Amino acid sequence: MLATVRRCYGFSDDGILQRIAERGLDCYPMSVSRVFGKNLPVMGGGYFRIYPYWLSRWLARDLNPNTSIFYMHPYELDTHEHHEVGQHVNIPLKMAVHQFARRSSIPGKLNKLLQDYPFSSFRDHYYAATPTVANAPQ
């Protein structure tokens, strides 16, 4: 797992952010923490689900609160999906662990996170200075 993490998180200076922007897409890299010279994902998705809360909080200790990103998929809150769907379609064990492990921990950790850190939305924080188009739906 760590070999995959090492290759996937953080951006090198190879111009990928510029190429993404040139295509008209916004890119907000996932928050990472540098541990032993490697970027480890923090505050998002499966990592937030699998890490114990104390580890997420420790990894987040050096994050900039103005630019850090927490993200999660809405399905991460569905603690019944595996029992209702996953078991009936014979999802391979590796995928089941990847998708369903520790989902029941999310509500408690999410409540702690919301108490421990201030939050805003992308709309309110990153796009606040972006001019709106006249007559565009709000």
Side-chain angles (χ1 to χ4, degrees), residues 16-33:
I16 190 166
L17 294 177
Q18 182 178 346
R19 291 194 305 276
I20 290 170
E22 287 169 355
R23 288 174 173 77
L25 299 172
D26 293 332
C27 182
Y28 301 95
M30 157 176 204
S31 297
V32 295
S33 180

Side-chain angles (χ1 to χ4, degrees), residues 4-52:
T4 304
V5 169
R6 277 184 238 139
R7 287 193 310 264
C8 294
Y9 297 103
F11 290 108
S12 63
D13 291 321
D14 65 0
I16 190 166
L17 294 177
Q18 182 178 346
R19 291 194 305 276
I20 290 170
E22 287 169 355
R23 288 174 173 77
L25 299 172
D26 293 332
C27 182
Y28 301 95
M30 157 176 204
S31 297
V32 295
S33 180
R34 200 98 169 126
V35 178
F36 299 118
K38 304 297 177 192
N39 288 335
L40 291 179
V42 180
M43 297 294 180
Y47 297 97
F48 183 71
R49 178 171 38 88
I50 292 168
Y51 292 165

Side-chain angles (χ1 to χ4, degrees), residues 1-133:
M1 180 172 142
L2 283 179
T4 304
V5 169
R6 277 184 238 139
R7 287 193 310 264
C8 294
Y9 297 103
F11 290 108
S12 63
D13 291 321
D14 65 0
I16 190 166
L17 294 177
Q18 182 178 346
R19 291 194 305 276
I20 290 170
E22 287 169 355
R23 288 174 173 77
L25 299 172
D26 293 332
C27 182
Y28 301 95
M30 157 176 204
S31 297
V32 295
S33 180
R34 200 98 169 126
V35 178
F36 299 118
K38 304 297 177 192
N39 288 335
L40 291 179
V42 180
M43 297 294 180
Y47 297 97
F48 183 71
R49 178 171 38 88
I50 292 168
Y51 292 165
Y53 184 73
W54 66 263
L55 179 59
S56 292
R57 190 169 164 93
W58 182 79
L59 288 170
R61 73 198 179 285
D62 294 327
L63 295 178
N64 181 334
N66 292 316
T67 59
S68 299
I69 293 174
F70 173 82
Y71 79 94
M72 66 181 292
H73 306 282
Y75 64 76
E76 300 276 1
L77 290 167
D78 188 346
T79 59
H80 302 289
E81 181 182 22
H82 183 245
H83 298 293
E84 295 172 357
V85 178
Q87 291 179 339
H88 300 291
V89 294
N90 297 319
I91 292 175
L93 179 61
K94 183 178 178 181
M95 180 182 255
V97 169
H98 181 269
Q99 290 297 311
F100 304 116
R102 298 185 43 86
R103 276 201 189 172
S104 62
S105 72
I106 290 287
K109 288 194 276 189
L110 193 55
N111 281 329
K112 286 181 190 175
L113 186 74
L114 293 169
Q115 290 173 10
D116 290 346
Y117 298 96
F119 280 88
S120 68
S121 68
F122 269 84
R123 182 192 68 220
D124 293 343
H125 188 78
Y126 286 96
Y127 297 121
T130 304
T132 58
V133 177

